[in-house]
Amino acid sequence: MTEQQKVYPVAEEFAANAWADNEAYLSLYQRSVDDPEGFWAEQAESLDWFKAPTKIKNTSFAASNVDIRWFEDGELNAAYNCLDRHLETRGDQPAIIWEGDDPGQDKTITYRELHAEVCRLSNALKEMGVTKGDTVTLYMPMIPEASVAMLACARIGAIHSVVFGGFSPDALAQRVVDAQSRVVITADESVRGGKHVPLKDNVDAAMTRDGTDIVDKVLVVRRTGGEIEWHDDRDAWYHEWVDRQSSECPAEKMNAEDALFILYTSGSTGRPKGLKHTTGGYLLYAALTHRYVFDYHEGEVYWCSADVGWVTGHSYIVYGPLANGATTLMFEGVPSYPTHGRLGEIIDKHQVSILYTSPTAIRALMAHGENIMDSSQRDSLRVLGSVGEPINPEAWSWFHRVIGNSRCPIVDTWWQTETGGIMITPLPGATDLKPGSATRPFFGVRPALLDNEGNVLEGATSGNLVLLDSWPGQARTIWNDHERFVQTYFSPYEGVYFTGDGCRRDEDGYYWITGRIDDVLNVSGHRMGTAEIESSLVAHSAVAEAAVVGYPHDIKGQGIYIYVTLGDDVEPSEELRKELTQWVRKDIGPIATPDVIQWAPGLPKTRSGKIMRRILRKIAANECEGLGDTSTLADPSVVDELIEHRANR
Ligand code: PRX
């Protein structure tokens, strides 16, 4: 039997102590879809409201009127729910355990300490003139101040926009301008795998770009003490501004539908879009999924290895765990530094019960052999989780056997920046596992598979994954561009939310995500639009045209394969290849570094001038047989030339 056909049943003992066993899952799920209003009204009682909601669900997916509201007359504050309400019972429990890049550095912050620090930064932001409804951009390392900054914004009703610290100055500037942030919070440098990344220098560079003169304060955390330039009129040290503030700051009363944050993500066309998440529904959904999916129990140490710059970090390092009063571990570094055993050593050192990580991280470790885990026991582990991309059954089983000592269930969680929280996933006490399958929908989630004409497909089949009804954690719109929100998610198929993913459902009703069906790449679990990379390349004077596709990559899941047509008088060379690679890296960020650049004298186009990406994808994947119908191409001979010089064989 192959790994893919194996079933790992729930251990009875696990089910007996879990938040939900299979029976509980089935009945809660049924209730959640039969009576969403009743179900979510009841769940909402788990949050602390200044004013409890009486209106629960008011949502429309009709393309003519996309309007999504949950708990719309309720009032609450996300930071209050993550901090204040725990002080009486859990004030002295660790809220954040921080593990530095250097194994000799760590720090534990209790709920009381976190509350005080968040209040101080809230007061500092107020002193800078930040008020309810303003946006603040965060460009931060993986240090506790990143969580503090998110919560401080939430506390005073400011909307945070976290930009991943691996993005370039241009990418940062674009997001600052789109969100119109007057304040940026950053650090002098971040540290990853022993290397320093010049965050403050990047902010300085971003501040020279058009439109960024809107920024009047850059608040800088001193992380390394590395040398930075200082602009007296704009720059402010975090410690100088924060330390002198009062450790009390009232939490602003927010409407449930007031924005909590914006988070940018790539689409198939155009510039990154800022998804807007709101306060009540998002927080409830993050907290509830965190509790059930990871079966979180009081006192456990939980570790999500994502970066706070991604949605996974928002929902499952910060908001979900802290709303549940959990201890959340935050790791500054990379899992293989200083040695490949680091991940296991951190688990032992902090007695981690739950580890949530990515298939890319697992595959990267796997490549170094099993004995890299010899330096740790990992006996504290109880639940493992995976997110961001399809997990291949080999990686699944290595994760299960080598990291989890063949003892721990793996929750393969499918979701998106747009969904706010986990959508399709096993519950560890309820769901028999099949390696590679995200299994079944979470409470309130109604997946369906459609054919290209929009017909609903029944039974065991494959199709386009859509969601039939709203759930509280859903993004409400795209910042400044509701029309694009409607076009992207609600126009492809009338009356449903389109995910952009392809999916198979098996005879047990389990879902198997097969990957993006639009022009979005998933490189190491990071989303990237082919259009973004292409527009970066054509901005280079040597490039006449470029087409970007993904191809299967052993570690990253997908690699970036680029076909470049050079300008008339330009000769291809190794130097130019390096230059273009650096160009994209500098323009977008290291995560967009091209893996392959192939010189393409011509690209396969239809007679109407449309690039046939299907063919380019096949050639990049080294699947040159059966390219399908090429007769509609303007010049079929370009295909032979591309095949002949393909880079991946
Ligand atoms: O294609 C799916 C893939 O990642 C996309 C969402 O990317 P992003 O918004 O960056 O959020 C990533 C973290 C939630 C999805 O459309 N994806 C995410 N999780 C899985 C997955 N593909 C397969 N299996 C998963 N568990």
Side-chain angles (χ1 to χ4, degrees):
M1 191 186 294
T2 67
E3 189 61 42
Q4 193 151 356
Q5 293 158 332
K6 260 195 216 163
V7 177
Y8 291 74
V10 177
E12 259 173 53
E13 223 180 286
F14 197 108
N17 297 307
W19 278 101
D21 60 10
N22 194 42
E23 211 177 313
Y25 164 77
L26 291 173
S27 77
L28 279 166
Y29 180 76
Q30 204 54 49
R31 167 107 208 284
S32 74
V33 293
D34 289 347
D35 175 20
E37 299 249 352
F39 177 83
W40 289 110
E42 220 167 274
Q43 296 304 327
E45 288 172 19
S46 65
L47 294 181
D48 276 28
W49 298 84
F50 297 135
K51 178 169 176 281
T54 61
K55 296 184 185 158
I56 305 303
K57 180 176 188 286
N58 181 5
T59 63
S60 159
F61 279 5
S64 57
N65 172 38
V66 173
D67 192 0
I68 301 155
R69 300 165 201 234
W70 285 87
F71 315 114
E72 62 184 304
D73 63 344
E75 287 176 5
L76 77 168
N77 182 285
Y80 182 95
N81 274 277
C82 290
L83 302 168
D84 306 53
R85 66 167 173 162
H86 304 312
L87 293 182
E88 208 171 300
T89 50
R90 308 190 177 96
D92 299 318
Q93 278 183 32
I96 298 177
I97 297 177
W98 177 75
E99 169 78 10
D101 185 61
D102 172 344
Q105 292 191 341
D106 58 33
K107 188 156 52 178
T108 297
I109 301 169
T110 65
Y111 272 95
R112 203 176 312 287
E113 290 163 345
L114 186 61
H115 174 264
E117 183 73 5
V118 167
C119 287
R120 279 192 287 265
L121 177 57
S122 301
N123 287 325
L125 290 173
K126 280 186 176 174
E127 198 183 316
M128 290 180 170
V130 178
T131 57
K132 185 169 171 171
D134 289 350
T135 68
V136 175
T137 295
L138 275 49
Y139 185 66
M140 302 280 283
M142 284 289 288
I143 53 176
E145 286 83 351
S147 309
V148 170
M150 291 164 75
L151 292 165
C153 289
R155 191 165 193 89
I156 64 172
I159 303 161
H160 57 71
S161 164
V162 185
V163 177
F164 174 58
F167 277 123
S168 69
D170 282 315
L172 173 62
Q174 207 177 60
R175 289 158 174 77
V176 166
V177 173
D178 188 72
Q180 289 288 293
S181 295
R182 277 187 40 235
V183 173
V184 174
I185 308 180
T186 189
D188 49 3
E189 299 177 312
S190 69
V191 192
R192 278 168 57 84
K195 294 196 196 95
H196 290 200
V197 180
L199 293 184
K200 172 61 164 60
D201 285 356
N202 288 349
V203 174
D204 289 347
M207 293 301 108
T208 64
R209 306 299 196 262
D210 283 353
T212 53
D213 46 3
I214 167 106
V215 175
D216 53 37
K217 273 278 168 288
V218 174
L219 192 61
V220 186
V221 177
R222 183 179 277 154
R223 165 65 189 99
T224 62
E227 215 169 288
I228 54 174
E229 274 184 29
W230 199 256
H231 305 265
D232 278 329
D233 51 336
R234 193 178 64 210
D235 298 343
W237 280 114
Y238 178 98
H239 56 271
E240 284 176 6
W241 277 72
V242 169
D243 292 355
R244 60 181 158 82
Q245 305 287 341
S246 154
S247 58
E248 290 295 330
C249 172
E252 195 75 35
K253 284 198 175 79
M254 305 300 288
N255 181 273
E257 282 301 333
D258 283 339
L260 178 61
F261 65 85
I262 312 169
L263 188 58
Y264 289 84
T265 191
S266 298
S268 47
T269 55
R271 295 148 68 91
K273 40 197 182 195
L275 273 318
K276 173 178 134 178
H277 282 282
T278 58
T279 307
Y282 169 81
L283 188 67
L284 175 62
Y285 199 75
L288 190 73
T289 46
H290 173 261
R291 182 179 333 125
Y292 276 93
V293 174
F294 302 108
D295 192 46
Y296 185 81
H297 283 78
E298 186 78 28
E300 288 187 310
V301 177
Y302 156 90
W303 177 19
C304 166
S305 75
D307 191 284
V308 287
W310 309 117
V311 74
T312 309
H314 283 59
S315 302
Y316 300 111
I317 295 178
V318 182
Y319 288 110
L322 295 178
N324 288 333
T327 298
T328 179
L329 190 146
M330 185 181 207
F331 176 40
E332 184 181 38
V334 293
S336 51
Y337 175 85
T339 67
H340 296 302
R342 183 75 188 277
L343 183 110
E345 289 158 18
I346 295 174
I347 292 166
D348 283 6
K349 176 175 173 187
H350 298 292
Q351 291 293 293
V352 172
S353 298
I354 301 156
L355 171 68
Y356 191 27
T357 190
S358 68
T360 291
I362 297 159
R363 286 191 297 260
L365 291 174
M366 222 170 124
H368 297 284
E370 299 193 5
N371 48 14
I372 60 167
M373 286 294 143
D374 288 353
S375 60
S376 57
Q377 311 289 316
R378 301 167 314 286
D379 289 334
S380 56
L381 284 177
R382 213 168 58 76
V383 178
L384 302 173
S386 168
V387 63
E389 38 180 327
I391 182 164
N392 47 313
E394 297 70 31
W396 194 102
S397 96
W398 197 86
F399 194 23
H400 186 258
R401 186 169 50 81
V402 181
I403 297 186
N405 297 329
S406 304
R407 267 188 317 104
C408 308
I410 298 178
V411 290
D412 174 1
T413 63
W414 173 84
W415 57 297
Q416 312 177 297
T417 307
E418 293 85 344
T419 70
I422 294 166
M423 300 292 285
I424 301 183
T425 179
L427 299 188
T431 316
D432 294 342
L433 305 172
K434 299 186 192 182
S437 173
T439 76
R440 304 185 292 190
F442 189 73
F443 308 142
V445 175
R446 294 176 53 202
L449 302 181
L450 304 188
D451 66 15
N452 290 338
E453 281 67 54
N455 303 305
V456 176
L457 304 169
E458 304 290 345
T461 184
S462 293
N464 304 314
L465 179 64
V466 301
L467 300 160
L468 299 178
D469 198 1
S470 183
W471 62 100
Q474 180 171 26
R476 303 301 194 248
T477 191
I478 292 173
W479 195 252
N480 292 332
D481 203 349
H482 191 64
E483 188 46 40
R484 188 172 175 202
F485 185 66
V486 175
Q487 282 302 324
T488 310
Y489 306 108
F490 301 94
S491 300
Y493 304 104
E494 177 56 35
V496 301
Y497 168 87
F498 176 51
T499 65
D501 280 319
C503 184
R504 175 168 77 82
R505 185 173 48 221
D506 71 15
E507 54 292 344
D508 295 322
Y510 276 34
Y511 289 86
W512 302 71
I513 309 295
T514 48
R516 301 291 307 195
I517 46 186
D518 52 12
D519 291 322
V520 170
L521 307 185
N522 190 331
V523 180
S524 302
H526 303 320
R527 237 164 101 165
M528 229 163 312
T530 50
E532 271 168 85
I533 305 173
E534 286 162 8
S535 66
S536 167
L537 281 159
V538 296
H540 189 285
S541 59
V543 177
E545 199 167 24
V548 175
V549 297
Y551 74 102
H553 187 287
D554 282 349
I555 294 192
K556 302 181 191 182
Q558 269 190 319
I560 302 177
Y561 195 117
I562 305 181
Y563 298 89
V564 171
T565 306
L566 294 170
D568 280 348
D569 307 321
V570 186
E571 285 301 315
S573 68
E574 269 321 293
E575 242 149 68
L576 183 56
R577 198 192 300 272
K578 277 193 200 128
E579 190 180 318
L580 293 179
T581 304
Q582 284 309 315
W583 176 269
V584 175
R585 220 182 129 86
K586 197 165 155 285
D587 197 21
I588 303 177
I591 55 168
T593 307
D595 293 284
V596 175
I597 294 180
Q598 176 174 354
W599 307 121
L603 292 169
K605 290 184 187 169
T606 59
R607 285 190 195 96
S608 58
K610 199 168 168 296
I611 295 176
M612 291 191 77
R613 289 166 185 283
R614 177 178 58 78
I615 293 176
L616 295 176
R617 270 187 225 114
K618 288 249 179 193
I619 297 174
N622 195 21
E623 293 168 10
C624 302
E625 303 298 313
L627 282 180
D629 185 10
T630 54
S631 64
T632 56
L633 288 178
D635 176 8
S637 73
V638 300
V639 174
D640 299 331
E641 145 72 41
L642 291 178
I643 291 176
E644 192 184 334
H645 294 103
R646 71 192 186 277
N648 176 25
R649 53 178 99 204

